[in-house]
Amino acid sequence: MTNPPDTTSNRRPGGRTARIRAQVLDAVRAELAESGHEGLTMEGVATRSGVHRATVYRRWRDVGGLLADVIAAAGETGWQPPDTGSLRGDLTALNQEIQESLVVRPSFAVALMAASFHSEQAARAQTRLWADRYAQCEILVERAVGRGELPARHADARSLLIAATAPLYHQLVLLRTRPDPRLPERAARAAVLAAAAGAFPVPREEGG
Amino acid sequence: MTNPPDTTSNRRPGGRTARIRAQVLDAVRAELAESGHEGLTMEGVATRSGVHRATVYRRWRDVGGLLADVIAAAGETGWQPPDTGSLRGDLTALNQEIQESLVVRPSFAVALMAASFHSEQAARAQTRLWADRYAQCEILVERAVGRGELPARHADARSLLIAATAPLYHQLVLLRTRPDPRLPERAARAAVLAAAAGAFPVPREEGG
């Protein structure tokens, strides 16, 4: 999916190949922003990117391939989870990032979600990206346990992270409520309170 | 949107008009189930329903009109929120219903969410339906306060209901994780624990 740089035909590894990918994916993002994934076509992307259409067809095959690659590229940006010194602060900062990405117009994040309802390939890439992001965020919970904010037995990271972030997606993407600037902090606080009360126990090892 | 029964041309109020609406909306549901909203056409619905296409065009105008009306009809079914005797039981039962509606294949609920990314009219109908459902569910929180399960000052019903239900939509619709039969109860329990810890305070009245 991520089209590894073609090192056989270029002196600088990935030079030309990486440049073409960047041009094409920039064009995909611009087209998505302008007209959503429904307006996305191979021809439109080729024209906007200035890359030969035969190259676009050969490397990305179809619109699903373009969407999957633009999602994969979003996972290659060196994103780092926040580190504010407290779990509540970290989750609030994370939620602020999420809220911004969903509220900005046009929203690339929302366009990708819409696309993944319609392209199985995009949906798989989206699922993978989210799995990676949640895995990256588990460190927030590990650090909180390390600081003594939360007992280890109450720190099932995945459930806690889902509880903290899900209300943002639900309200902003599905319910389409007006963005509330206090929501990131409130959802973070609710998840931390639930965690402290034992809502996210670590599953016990089976057998033994 | 809900096409009130035409009482001028029928002896039984809504008789023929209501029958035509039922036929057309049944056809919309069947077409959505078979091929999603992308396969939904005025012609397809007219053919399947056996209703004259001129009638379908006159009353529903376009695919957005059909989607909006099928969503409106979902709000007219006399649905009642669960009443199990405890907040945790009620939220678990509610989450079980939600999980079932999202997991069944084909899922009418998921088809409508997908459609509302693409039709402004469907999106408005969906937002209205959800607002109604959450408003109907506020009674769960009121009853819990009445039973002394939760102090009234900690019982902001809307935030509590969103916290209880959002993880299901997030996991099943957006993250597409494998359905976990324990999720409805766990998400309900987490929300109740957070509520007891004061995560959902009722906003104070402004001024005075």
Side-chain angles (χ1 to χ4, degrees), chain B residues 14 27 29-30 32 49 57 60 64 69-70 81 86 90 94 100 115 117 121 129 152-153 164 178-180:
Chain B
R29 288 183 203 100
L32 279 176
S49 66
Y57 276 100
W60 287 275
D69 200 28
V70 85
S86 77
D90 286 352
L94 179 64
E100 275 159 36
F117 277 104
Q121 212 177 341
L129 173 61
R153 71 182 187 286
R178 215 147 42 91
D180 175 350

Side-chain angles (χ1 to χ4, degrees), chain A residues 45-181:
Chain A
V45 167
T47 305
R48 187 188 276 258
S49 67
V51 171
H52 200 288
R53 50 195 289 285
T55 306
V56 177
Y57 276 99
R58 192 175 64 245
R59 288 193 40 188
W60 286 275
R61 283 251 316 265
D62 55 24
V63 166
L66 289 172
L67 286 166
D69 200 29
V70 86
I71 295 168
E76 296 161 15
T77 54
W79 180 83
Q80 288 292 325
D83 187 4
T84 66
S86 78
L87 181 58
R88 183 163 152 189
D90 286 352
L91 294 174
T92 300
L94 178 65
N95 276 351
Q96 273 159 349
E97 261 188 64
I98 292 172
Q99 176 141 309
E100 276 161 36
S101 77
L102 299 177
V103 161
V104 66
R105 289 288 172 269
S107 166
F108 178 60
V110 173
L112 293 186
M113 278 180 250
S116 60
F117 276 104
H118 302 287
S119 156
E120 189 49 38
Q121 211 178 340
R124 278 197 304 269
Q126 173 88 77
T127 302
R128 205 155 39 226
L129 173 61
W130 256 327
D132 287 352
R133 282 288 157 91
Y134 279 106
Q136 276 182 284
C137 286
E138 293 189 1
I139 185 95
L140 306 189
V141 181
E142 288 161 26
R143 282 197 218 117
V145 171
R147 283 186 301 253
E149 290 182 62
L150 206 58
R153 73 183 187 286
H154 285 177
D156 183 50
R158 173 91 186 185
S159 320
L160 196 164
L161 293 165
I162 298 273
T165 57
L168 281 93
Y169 291 100
H170 196 51
Q171 300 236 41
L172 298 170
V173 182
L174 298 180
L175 305 186
R176 306 204 315 164
T177 48
R178 215 147 42 87
D180 175 351

Side-chain angles (χ1 to χ4, degrees), chain A residues 2-23:
Chain A
T2 52
N3 298 299
D6 175 357
T7 50
T8 55
S9 60
N10 294 288
R11 246 172 319 191
R12 284 180 306 138
R16 184 164 170 276
T17 306
R19 222 164 35 239
I20 286 178
R21 182 176 179 228
Q23 278 171 257

Side-chain angles (χ1 to χ4, degrees), chain A residues 37-38 113-114 117-118 120 123 127 130 134 158 162 166-167 169-170 173-177 189-190 193-194 197-200, chain B residues 37-38 114 117-118 120 123 127 130 134 158 162 166-167 169-170 173-177 189-190 193-194 197-200:
Chain A
H37 83 274
E38 282 173 323
M113 278 180 250
F117 276 104
H118 302 287
E120 189 49 38
T127 302
W130 256 327
Y134 279 106
R158 173 91 186 185
I162 298 273
Y169 291 100
H170 196 51
V173 182
L174 298 180
L175 305 186
R176 306 204 315 164
T177 48
R189 178 170 171 268
L193 286 171
F200 311 115
Chain B
H37 83 274
E38 283 173 324
F117 277 104
H118 302 287
E120 189 50 37
T127 302
W130 256 327
Y134 279 104
R158 173 94 186 181
I162 298 274
Y169 291 100
H170 195 50
V173 181
L174 298 180
L175 305 187
R176 306 203 317 164
T177 47
R189 178 169 172 267
L193 287 171
F200 311 115

